[in-house]
Amino acid sequence: MSKERKLENYGFATKSIHAGESPNYSQGAAGDVVAPIHLTTTYAWHNPEQKVSDFDYVRSGNPTRKAYEEKLAAIENVRYGLAFASGLAAETTIFQTLLRPGDHVIGFDDLYGGTRRLLDDVFNYLSVSYIDLTDLELFRRSIRPETKMLWIESPTNPLIKICDIRALAEIAHSKGIIVVVDNTFMSPYFQQPAALGADIILHSTTKYIGGHSDVLGGAIMTSDDALYEKLKAAQNNCGAVLPPFDCYLNMRGIKTLAVRMEQHQKNALRIAEFLENHPKVKRVLYPGLPSHPQHELTKKQASGYGGMVSFELKGELSDAVKFMDKLSLFVTAESLGGVESLIELPVKMTHVHVAKEVCDAIGISDTLIRMSVGIENVEDLLADLEQAL
Ligand code: P1T
């Protein structure tokens, strides 16, 4: 027995802490305040016609994963959450389940490099157009009779481009196209794509949701019953599920998502302003800056700007490498969304497998640097950047 809570009426932080984790007050129950980690891989039946609980085998379901999936759905303000072993495992499940050979996908031209690699190398039986989704007319013109899916990142990785999710979803839905938003960069704290028309929301939970750079994972969230049923069946059939201990760690991470995101954003804005005024910096890409081309749109469709800042140094590749080598507090590493500040050079790291012509065409230059601004004292981060510049 749980005490009745109207979770849907609570604010984001309250849901983050309590969703999926209502104590069981029944006689004989332990009354755990924190959802326990269930490590069993299989569940007893009274007899072959009667299970003891709803669970039978861990790949199909597990109480810790169930609690985590309820929390995921609650923070994204949708009905269902599904947990996967990585962001790319979640993406694989979507492409494999919802698309057939010959189907056409439209994706942002500046998607995470691994998403492009997955589409181009593994799902090479699909046709994919990578276009600039800030251009609504271009999107309209790119739709074909066989277009089945629109794949959005907003902001994109690493150029921090923002697209009008609501306008794109309206056009897509008028043609029966499924809209997927990879919401990894903003996290559900700053952006809730379901309210803007997204059918499916995807996260690499390895980033802000986990929040501590120590758990690989992915998530799919949706309110669409039919999509959920298909994706849930695929989660079990394909088996790329998140283990119970990792579900527990991510639940623990989510409880501080609201306070972490506020601090990531505060630090990111200070750093973006500092860089914008630095003579060695060519341009800064951060939606919180009035100079960002989609600053106003971001204010309209999100409640914040996030913690990801990209910038271009004046000079050439060797200058970027030298600058990054001189940093001591910022760690040069791929990934993002953890409490510690990370920095990376996309042409040499996250986007090394994206063809040079593609990088040149969309503006990923040799000196474009991406930062995941952490929640350290911002003065220490600024001092590190200053000395390295
Ligand atoms: O790494 P994984 O959990 O499989 O997630 C893939 C992924 C999906 N979507 C976005 C927007 C991402 O940024 C990522 C992973 N990104 C990095 C590792 C990176 O450094 O950008």
Side-chain angles (χ1 to χ4, degrees), residues 164-207:
D164 188 334
I165 298 173
R166 191 190 299 277
L168 288 165
E170 266 171 29
I171 300 168
H173 287 155
S174 72
K175 306 279 182 189
I177 297 168
I178 298 171
V179 178
V180 183
V181 175
D182 180 336
N183 202 26
T184 299
F185 268 35
M186 279 299 198
S187 91
Y189 180 68
F190 283 134
Q191 182 166 273
Q192 306 231 312
L196 302 169
D199 302 300
I200 296 173
I201 296 104
L202 177 125
H203 283 274
S204 166
T205 59
T206 318
K207 316 299 189 261

mmCIF file of all heavy atoms in Angstrom, residues 164-207:
data_model
loop_
_atom_site.group_PDB
_atom_site.id
_atom_site.type_symbol
_atom_site.label_atom_id
_atom_site.label_comp_id
_atom_site.label_asym_id
_atom_site.label_seq_id
_atom_site.Cartn_x
_atom_site.Cartn_y
_atom_site.Cartn_z
ATOM 1 N N ASP A 164 12.927 24.916 -34.709
ATOM 2 C CA ASP A 164 11.581 25.180 -34.181
ATOM 3 C C ASP A 164 10.832 23.833 -34.116
ATOM 4 O O ASP A 164 10.230 23.381 -35.096
ATOM 5 C CB ASP A 164 10.879 26.168 -35.118
ATOM 6 C CG ASP A 164 9.544 26.643 -34.546
ATOM 7 O OD1 ASP A 164 8.946 25.906 -33.744
ATOM 8 O OD2 ASP A 164 9.122 27.746 -34.922
ATOM 9 N N ILE A 165 10.879 23.195 -32.970
ATOM 10 C CA ILE A 165 10.348 21.827 -32.836
ATOM 11 C C ILE A 165 8.843 21.800 -33.138
ATOM 12 O O ILE A 165 8.355 20.928 -33.852
ATOM 13 C CB ILE A 165 10.636 21.266 -31.426
ATOM 14 C CG1 ILE A 165 12.151 21.185 -31.193
ATOM 15 C CG2 ILE A 165 9.996 19.889 -31.237
ATOM 16 C CD1 ILE A 165 12.559 20.800 -29.773
ATOM 17 N N ARG A 166 8.119 22.797 -32.618
ATOM 18 C CA ARG A 166 6.661 22.792 -32.805
ATOM 19 C C ARG A 166 6.301 22.918 -34.291
ATOM 20 O O ARG A 166 5.468 22.168 -34.814
ATOM 21 C CB ARG A 166 6.018 23.921 -32.001
ATOM 22 C CG ARG A 166 4.501 23.822 -31.916
ATOM 23 C CD ARG A 166 3.886 25.079 -31.334
ATOM 24 N NE ARG A 166 4.333 25.355 -29.983
ATOM 25 C CZ ARG A 166 3.826 24.806 -28.883
ATOM 26 N NH1 ARG A 166 2.878 23.909 -28.998
ATOM 27 N NH2 ARG A 166 4.278 25.130 -27.701
ATOM 28 N N ALA A 167 6.965 23.851 -34.979
ATOM 29 C CA ALA A 167 6.655 24.068 -36.403
ATOM 30 C C ALA A 167 7.021 22.834 -37.226
ATOM 31 O O ALA A 167 6.251 22.409 -38.110
ATOM 32 C CB ALA A 167 7.407 25.300 -36.906
ATOM 33 N N LEU A 168 8.168 22.239 -36.942
ATOM 34 C CA LEU A 168 8.592 21.039 -37.683
ATOM 35 C C LEU A 168 7.625 19.882 -37.432
ATOM 36 O O LEU A 168 7.256 19.150 -38.358
ATOM 37 C CB LEU A 168 10.007 20.625 -37.264
ATOM 38 C CG LEU A 168 11.153 21.520 -37.745
ATOM 39 C CD1 LEU A 168 12.426 21.222 -36.962
ATOM 40 C CD2 LEU A 168 11.403 21.333 -39.245
ATOM 41 N N ALA A 169 7.193 19.729 -36.163
ATOM 42 C CA ALA A 169 6.282 18.626 -35.828
ATOM 43 C C ALA A 169 4.943 18.800 -36.534
ATOM 44 O O ALA A 169 4.352 17.816 -37.012
ATOM 45 C CB ALA A 169 6.090 18.546 -34.312
ATOM 46 N N GLU A 170 4.487 20.037 -36.637
ATOM 47 C CA GLU A 170 3.198 20.267 -37.333
ATOM 48 C C GLU A 170 3.293 19.853 -38.797
ATOM 49 O O GLU A 170 2.418 19.169 -39.327
ATOM 50 C CB GLU A 170 2.816 21.749 -37.243
ATOM 51 C CG GLU A 170 1.903 22.014 -36.063
ATOM 52 C CD GLU A 170 1.677 23.481 -35.810
ATOM 53 O OE1 GLU A 170 1.729 24.283 -36.771
ATOM 54 O OE2 GLU A 170 1.459 23.816 -34.627
ATOM 55 N N ILE A 171 4.378 20.261 -39.448
ATOM 56 C CA ILE A 171 4.559 19.894 -40.867
ATOM 57 C C ILE A 171 4.672 18.365 -40.976
ATOM 58 O O ILE A 171 4.018 17.732 -41.814
ATOM 59 C CB ILE A 171 5.826 20.561 -41.459
ATOM 60 C CG1 ILE A 171 5.715 22.083 -41.373
ATOM 61 C CG2 ILE A 171 6.052 20.104 -42.901
ATOM 62 C CD1 ILE A 171 7.020 22.824 -41.672
ATOM 63 N N ALA A 172 5.495 17.768 -40.103
ATOM 64 C CA ALA A 172 5.725 16.316 -40.166
ATOM 65 C C ALA A 172 4.412 15.560 -39.969
ATOM 66 O O ALA A 172 4.086 14.625 -40.715
ATOM 67 C CB ALA A 172 6.752 15.904 -39.116
ATOM 68 N N HIS A 173 3.645 15.976 -38.973
ATOM 69 C CA HIS A 173 2.403 15.240 -38.674
ATOM 70 C C HIS A 173 1.387 15.357 -39.805
ATOM 71 O O HIS A 173 0.615 14.432 -40.039
ATOM 72 C CB HIS A 173 1.814 15.717 -37.346
ATOM 73 C CG HIS A 173 2.615 15.236 -36.168
ATOM 74 N ND1 HIS A 173 2.644 15.866 -34.960
ATOM 75 C CD2 HIS A 173 3.440 14.163 -36.039
ATOM 76 C CE1 HIS A 173 3.448 15.203 -34.131
ATOM 77 N NE2 HIS A 173 3.943 14.168 -34.761
ATOM 78 N N SER A 174 1.426 16.479 -40.534
ATOM 79 C CA SER A 174 0.481 16.610 -41.650
ATOM 80 C C SER A 174 0.807 15.594 -42.747
ATOM 81 O O SER A 174 -0.017 15.335 -43.620
ATOM 82 C CB SER A 174 0.501 18.039 -42.205
ATOM 83 O OG SER A 174 1.707 18.250 -42.915
ATOM 84 N N LYS A 175 2.019 15.015 -42.702
ATOM 85 C CA LYS A 175 2.419 14.002 -43.700
ATOM 86 C C LYS A 175 2.556 12.620 -43.062
ATOM 87 O O LYS A 175 3.178 11.719 -43.656
ATOM 88 C CB LYS A 175 3.773 14.378 -44.331
ATOM 89 C CG LYS A 175 3.823 15.763 -44.929
ATOM 90 C CD LYS A 175 3.192 15.763 -46.305
ATOM 91 C CE LYS A 175 3.290 17.150 -46.932
ATOM 92 N NZ LYS A 175 2.526 17.269 -48.167
ATOM 93 N N GLY A 176 2.107 12.449 -41.842
ATOM 94 C CA GLY A 176 2.184 11.140 -41.174
ATOM 95 C C GLY A 176 3.590 10.717 -40.783
ATOM 96 O O GLY A 176 3.886 9.516 -40.667
ATOM 97 N N ILE A 177 4.477 11.684 -40.577
ATOM 98 C CA ILE A 177 5.885 11.377 -40.244
ATOM 99 C C ILE A 177 6.060 11.371 -38.718
ATOM 100 O O ILE A 177 5.595 12.282 -38.024
ATOM 101 C CB ILE A 177 6.811 12.451 -40.880
ATOM 102 C CG1 ILE A 177 6.695 12.400 -42.406
ATOM 103 C CG2 ILE A 177 8.252 12.297 -40.425
ATOM 104 C CD1 ILE A 177 7.317 13.584 -43.119
ATOM 105 N N ILE A 178 6.741 10.337 -38.213
ATOM 106 C CA ILE A 178 7.000 10.239 -36.769
ATOM 107 C C ILE A 178 8.113 11.220 -36.393
ATOM 108 O O ILE A 178 9.149 11.270 -37.057
ATOM 109 C CB ILE A 178 7.441 8.804 -36.381
ATOM 110 C CG1 ILE A 178 6.338 7.799 -36.698
ATOM 111 C CG2 ILE A 178 7.838 8.720 -34.914
ATOM 112 C CD1 ILE A 178 6.783 6.332 -36.548
ATOM 113 N N VAL A 179 7.882 11.968 -35.321
ATOM 114 C CA VAL A 179 8.865 12.978 -34.884
ATOM 115 C C VAL A 179 9.603 12.479 -33.645
ATOM 116 O O VAL A 179 8.993 12.218 -32.606
ATOM 117 C CB VAL A 179 8.161 14.316 -34.572
ATOM 118 C CG1 VAL A 179 9.172 15.351 -34.075
ATOM 119 C CG2 VAL A 179 7.404 14.818 -35.790
ATOM 120 N N VAL A 180 10.920 12.354 -33.779
ATOM 121 C CA VAL A 180 11.760 11.948 -32.643
ATOM 122 C C VAL A 180 12.653 13.136 -32.270
ATOM 123 O O VAL A 180 13.283 13.734 -33.151
ATOM 124 C CB VAL A 180 12.670 10.752 -33.008
ATOM 125 C CG1 VAL A 180 13.471 10.302 -31.788
ATOM 126 C CG2 VAL A 180 11.860 9.598 -33.577
ATOM 127 N N VAL A 181 12.697 13.462 -30.984
ATOM 128 C CA VAL A 181 13.618 14.510 -30.524
ATOM 129 C C VAL A 181 14.627 13.884 -29.570
ATOM 130 O O VAL A 181 14.251 13.298 -28.556
ATOM 131 C CB VAL A 181 12.873 15.676 -29.827
ATOM 132 C CG1 VAL A 181 13.878 16.681 -29.262
ATOM 133 C CG2 VAL A 181 11.925 16.363 -30.797
ATOM 134 N N ASP A 182 15.894 14.007 -29.931
ATOM 135 C CA ASP A 182 16.976 13.618 -29.020
ATOM 136 C C ASP A 182 17.180 14.812 -28.084
ATOM 137 O O ASP A 182 17.716 15.847 -28.478
ATOM 138 C CB ASP A 182 18.237 13.309 -29.843
ATOM 139 C CG ASP A 182 19.420 12.896 -28.971
ATOM 140 O OD1 ASP A 182 19.446 13.259 -27.784
ATOM 141 O OD2 ASP A 182 20.332 12.229 -29.499
ATOM 142 N N ASN A 183 16.732 14.643 -26.843
ATOM 143 C CA ASN A 183 16.683 15.763 -25.887
ATOM 144 C C ASN A 183 17.874 15.744 -24.921
ATOM 145 O O ASN A 183 17.823 16.345 -23.855
ATOM 146 C CB ASN A 183 15.361 15.660 -25.101
ATOM 147 C CG ASN A 183 14.915 16.971 -24.487
ATOM 148 O OD1 ASN A 183 15.266 18.052 -24.982
ATOM 149 N ND2 ASN A 183 14.154 16.899 -23.405
ATOM 150 N N THR A 184 18.917 15.020 -25.327
ATOM 151 C CA THR A 184 20.072 14.816 -24.444
ATOM 152 C C THR A 184 20.682 16.131 -23.951
ATOM 153 O O THR A 184 20.983 16.284 -22.766
ATOM 154 C CB THR A 184 21.160 14.015 -25.202
ATOM 155 O OG1 THR A 184 20.607 12.750 -25.569
ATOM 156 C CG2 THR A 184 22.394 13.800 -24.350
ATOM 157 N N PHE A 185 20.873 17.093 -24.864
ATOM 158 C CA PHE A 185 21.619 18.306 -24.495
ATOM 159 C C PHE A 185 20.851 19.185 -23.508
ATOM 160 O O PHE A 185 21.452 19.801 -22.634
ATOM 161 C CB PHE A 185 21.959 19.119 -25.750
ATOM 162 C CG PHE A 185 23.295 18.790 -26.350
ATOM 163 C CD1 PHE A 185 23.800 17.494 -26.323
ATOM 164 C CD2 PHE A 185 24.067 19.771 -26.957
ATOM 165 C CE1 PHE A 185 25.033 17.187 -26.873
ATOM 166 C CE2 PHE A 185 25.308 19.481 -27.513
ATOM 167 C CZ PHE A 185 25.786 18.189 -27.476
ATOM 168 N N MET A 186 19.545 19.307 -23.659
ATOM 169 C CA MET A 186 18.785 20.202 -22.784
ATOM 170 C C MET A 186 18.374 19.516 -21.488
ATOM 171 O O MET A 186 18.174 20.172 -20.469
ATOM 172 C CB MET A 186 17.533 20.702 -23.502
ATOM 173 C CG MET A 186 17.772 21.856 -24.437
ATOM 174 S SD MET A 186 18.410 23.303 -23.588
ATOM 175 C CE MET A 186 18.069 24.562 -24.787
ATOM 176 N N SER A 187 18.180 18.209 -21.561
ATOM 177 C CA SER A 187 17.618 17.418 -20.465
ATOM 178 C C SER A 187 16.145 17.807 -20.286
ATOM 179 O O SER A 187 15.736 18.895 -20.684
ATOM 180 C CB SER A 187 18.383 17.616 -19.136
ATOM 181 O OG SER A 187 17.822 18.666 -18.381
ATOM 182 N N PRO A 188 15.362 16.933 -19.657
ATOM 183 C CA PRO A 188 13.929 17.270 -19.484
ATOM 184 C C PRO A 188 13.729 18.487 -18.590
ATOM 185 O O PRO A 188 12.651 19.047 -18.555
ATOM 186 C CB PRO A 188 13.344 16.015 -18.808
ATOM 187 C CG PRO A 188 14.378 14.964 -18.923
ATOM 188 C CD PRO A 188 15.705 15.617 -19.125
ATOM 189 N N TYR A 189 14.769 18.891 -17.879
ATOM 190 C CA TYR A 189 14.611 20.044 -16.990
ATOM 191 C C TYR A 189 14.398 21.334 -17.786
ATOM 192 O O TYR A 189 13.590 22.168 -17.413
ATOM 193 C CB TYR A 189 15.846 20.192 -16.084
ATOM 194 C CG TYR A 189 15.713 21.372 -15.144
ATOM 195 C CD1 TYR A 189 14.778 21.374 -14.114
ATOM 196 C CD2 TYR A 189 16.509 22.512 -15.316
ATOM 197 C CE1 TYR A 189 14.634 22.465 -13.274
ATOM 198 C CE2 TYR A 189 16.364 23.602 -14.481
ATOM 199 C CZ TYR A 189 15.430 23.577 -13.459
ATOM 200 O OH TYR A 189 15.283 24.664 -12.633
ATOM 201 N N PHE A 190 15.100 21.478 -18.907
ATOM 202 C CA PHE A 190 14.993 22.725 -19.677
ATOM 203 C C PHE A 190 14.075 22.612 -20.883
ATOM 204 O O PHE A 190 13.654 23.624 -21.427
ATOM 205 C CB PHE A 190 16.372 23.177 -20.169
ATOM 206 C CG PHE A 190 17.221 23.827 -19.107
ATOM 207 C CD1 PHE A 190 18.547 23.470 -18.948
ATOM 208 C CD2 PHE A 190 16.699 24.812 -18.280
ATOM 209 C CE1 PHE A 190 19.332 24.080 -17.984
ATOM 210 C CE2 PHE A 190 17.476 25.427 -17.314
ATOM 211 C CZ PHE A 190 18.802 25.055 -17.162
ATOM 212 N N GLN A 191 13.808 21.393 -21.355
ATOM 213 C CA GLN A 191 13.007 21.280 -22.585
ATOM 214 C C GLN A 191 12.161 20.027 -22.545
ATOM 215 O O GLN A 191 12.672 18.951 -22.244
ATOM 216 C CB GLN A 191 13.973 21.244 -23.774
ATOM 217 C CG GLN A 191 13.291 21.166 -25.129
ATOM 218 C CD GLN A 191 14.272 21.488 -26.253
ATOM 219 O OE1 GLN A 191 14.458 22.643 -26.604
ATOM 220 N NE2 GLN A 191 14.903 20.463 -26.823
ATOM 221 N N GLN A 192 10.877 20.188 -22.861
ATOM 222 C CA GLN A 192 9.955 19.054 -22.840
ATOM 223 C C GLN A 192 9.336 18.919 -24.233
ATOM 224 O O GLN A 192 8.256 19.446 -24.514
ATOM 225 C CB GLN A 192 8.893 19.284 -21.768
ATOM 226 C CG GLN A 192 9.534 19.566 -20.399
ATOM 227 C CD GLN A 192 9.004 18.716 -19.281
ATOM 228 O OE1 GLN A 192 7.808 18.587 -19.136
ATOM 229 N NE2 GLN A 192 9.885 18.140 -18.488
ATOM 230 N N PRO A 193 9.997 18.187 -25.118
ATOM 231 C CA PRO A 193 9.570 18.131 -26.516
ATOM 232 C C PRO A 193 8.175 17.545 -26.727
ATOM 233 O O PRO A 193 7.537 17.837 -27.748
ATOM 234 C CB PRO A 193 10.630 17.260 -27.185
ATOM 235 C CG PRO A 193 11.815 17.343 -26.293
ATOM 236 C CD PRO A 193 11.263 17.463 -24.915
ATOM 237 N N ALA A 194 7.671 16.735 -25.787
ATOM 238 C CA ALA A 194 6.330 16.165 -25.987
ATOM 239 C C ALA A 194 5.305 17.294 -26.089
ATOM 240 O O ALA A 194 4.377 17.241 -26.903
ATOM 241 C CB ALA A 194 5.983 15.209 -24.849
ATOM 242 N N ALA A 195 5.472 18.335 -25.296
ATOM 243 C CA ALA A 195 4.536 19.460 -25.322
ATOM 244 C C ALA A 195 4.654 20.247 -26.626
ATOM 245 O O ALA A 195 3.759 21.014 -26.982
ATOM 246 C CB ALA A 195 4.803 20.379 -24.131
ATOM 247 N N LEU A 196 5.768 20.059 -27.349
ATOM 248 C CA LEU A 196 5.984 20.772 -28.617
ATOM 249 C C LEU A 196 5.592 19.900 -29.803
ATOM 250 O O LEU A 196 5.748 20.296 -30.951
ATOM 251 C CB LEU A 196 7.461 21.182 -28.741
ATOM 252 C CG LEU A 196 8.002 22.076 -27.611
ATOM 253 C CD1 LEU A 196 9.523 22.186 -27.688
ATOM 254 C CD2 LEU A 196 7.371 23.461 -27.678
ATOM 255 N N GLY A 197 5.124 18.670 -29.534
ATOM 256 C CA GLY A 197 4.630 17.819 -30.619
ATOM 257 C C GLY A 197 5.465 16.578 -30.903
ATOM 258 O O GLY A 197 5.126 15.818 -31.814
ATOM 259 N N ALA A 198 6.555 16.350 -30.160
ATOM 260 C CA ALA A 198 7.367 15.160 -30.435
ATOM 261 C C ALA A 198 6.586 13.894 -30.081
ATOM 262 O O ALA A 198 5.881 13.851 -29.071
ATOM 263 C CB ALA A 198 8.663 15.201 -29.624
ATOM 264 N N ASP A 199 6.724 12.863 -30.919
ATOM 265 C CA ASP A 199 6.074 11.574 -30.627
ATOM 266 C C ASP A 199 6.950 10.736 -29.709
ATOM 267 O O ASP A 199 6.454 9.978 -28.881
ATOM 268 C CB ASP A 199 5.845 10.804 -31.932
ATOM 269 C CG ASP A 199 4.998 11.601 -32.903
ATOM 270 O OD1 ASP A 199 3.854 11.919 -32.528
ATOM 271 O OD2 ASP A 199 5.490 11.926 -33.999
ATOM 272 N N ILE A 200 8.259 10.838 -29.922
ATOM 273 C CA ILE A 200 9.217 10.049 -29.145
ATOM 274 C C ILE A 200 10.335 10.981 -28.684
ATOM 275 O O ILE A 200 10.819 11.819 -29.467
ATOM 276 C CB ILE A 200 9.832 8.920 -30.015
ATOM 277 C CG1 ILE A 200 8.745 7.922 -30.444
ATOM 278 C CG2 ILE A 200 10.960 8.210 -29.279
ATOM 279 C CD1 ILE A 200 9.231 6.877 -31.439
ATOM 280 N N ILE A 201 10.725 10.839 -27.434
ATOM 281 C CA ILE A 201 11.873 11.599 -26.921
ATOM 282 C C ILE A 201 12.956 10.594 -26.567
ATOM 283 O O ILE A 201 12.678 9.566 -25.946
ATOM 284 C CB ILE A 201 11.479 12.444 -25.693
ATOM 285 C CG1 ILE A 201 10.443 13.506 -26.101
ATOM 286 C CG2 ILE A 201 12.692 13.149 -25.096
ATOM 287 C CD1 ILE A 201 9.075 13.197 -25.695
ATOM 288 N N LEU A 202 14.170 10.910 -26.998
ATOM 289 C CA LEU A 202 15.289 10.017 -26.741
ATOM 290 C C LEU A 202 16.338 10.734 -25.906
ATOM 291 O O LEU A 202 16.538 11.928 -26.062
ATOM 292 C CB LEU A 202 15.908 9.592 -28.076
ATOM 293 C CG LEU A 202 17.140 8.713 -27.909
ATOM 294 C CD1 LEU A 202 16.977 7.418 -28.669
ATOM 295 C CD2 LEU A 202 18.415 9.414 -28.328
ATOM 296 N N HIS A 203 16.988 9.965 -25.020
ATOM 297 C CA HIS A 203 18.116 10.529 -24.264
ATOM 298 C C HIS A 203 19.276 9.565 -24.271
ATOM 299 O O HIS A 203 19.089 8.356 -24.109
ATOM 300 C CB HIS A 203 17.741 10.746 -22.789
ATOM 301 C CG HIS A 203 16.894 11.942 -22.564
ATOM 302 N ND1 HIS A 203 17.419 13.198 -22.387
ATOM 303 C CD2 HIS A 203 15.547 12.076 -22.508
ATOM 304 C CE1 HIS A 203 16.432 14.066 -22.222
ATOM 305 N NE2 HIS A 203 15.295 13.412 -22.302
ATOM 306 N N SER A 204 20.480 10.122 -24.399
ATOM 307 C CA SER A 204 21.643 9.405 -23.928
ATOM 308 C C SER A 204 21.684 9.755 -22.441
ATOM 309 O O SER A 204 22.060 10.872 -22.070
ATOM 310 C CB SER A 204 22.915 9.876 -24.641
ATOM 311 O OG SER A 204 24.028 9.377 -23.926
ATOM 312 N N THR A 205 21.262 8.817 -21.592
ATOM 313 C CA THR A 205 21.234 9.106 -20.143
ATOM 314 C C THR A 205 22.645 9.106 -19.563
ATOM 315 O O THR A 205 22.841 9.468 -18.398
ATOM 316 C CB THR A 205 20.356 8.088 -19.393
ATOM 317 O OG1 THR A 205 20.889 6.763 -19.612
ATOM 318 C CG2 THR A 205 18.918 8.129 -19.852
ATOM 319 N N THR A 206 23.604 8.686 -20.406
ATOM 320 C CA THR A 206 25.026 8.763 -20.045
ATOM 321 C C THR A 206 25.409 10.199 -19.680
ATOM 322 O O THR A 206 26.417 10.418 -19.019
ATOM 323 C CB THR A 206 25.867 8.341 -21.283
ATOM 324 O OG1 THR A 206 25.247 7.206 -21.908
ATOM 325 C CG2 THR A 206 27.281 8.016 -20.914
ATOM 326 N N LYS A 207 24.581 11.159 -20.112
ATOM 327 C CA LYS A 207 24.931 12.574 -19.979
ATOM 328 C C LYS A 207 24.265 13.181 -18.738
ATOM 329 O O LYS A 207 24.542 12.743 -17.644
ATOM 330 C CB LYS A 207 24.547 13.300 -21.272
ATOM 331 C CG LYS A 207 24.931 12.543 -22.543
ATOM 332 C CD LYS A 207 26.433 12.315 -22.660
ATOM 333 C CE LYS A 207 26.862 11.778 -23.978
ATOM 334 N NZ LYS A 207 27.125 10.403 -24.160
#
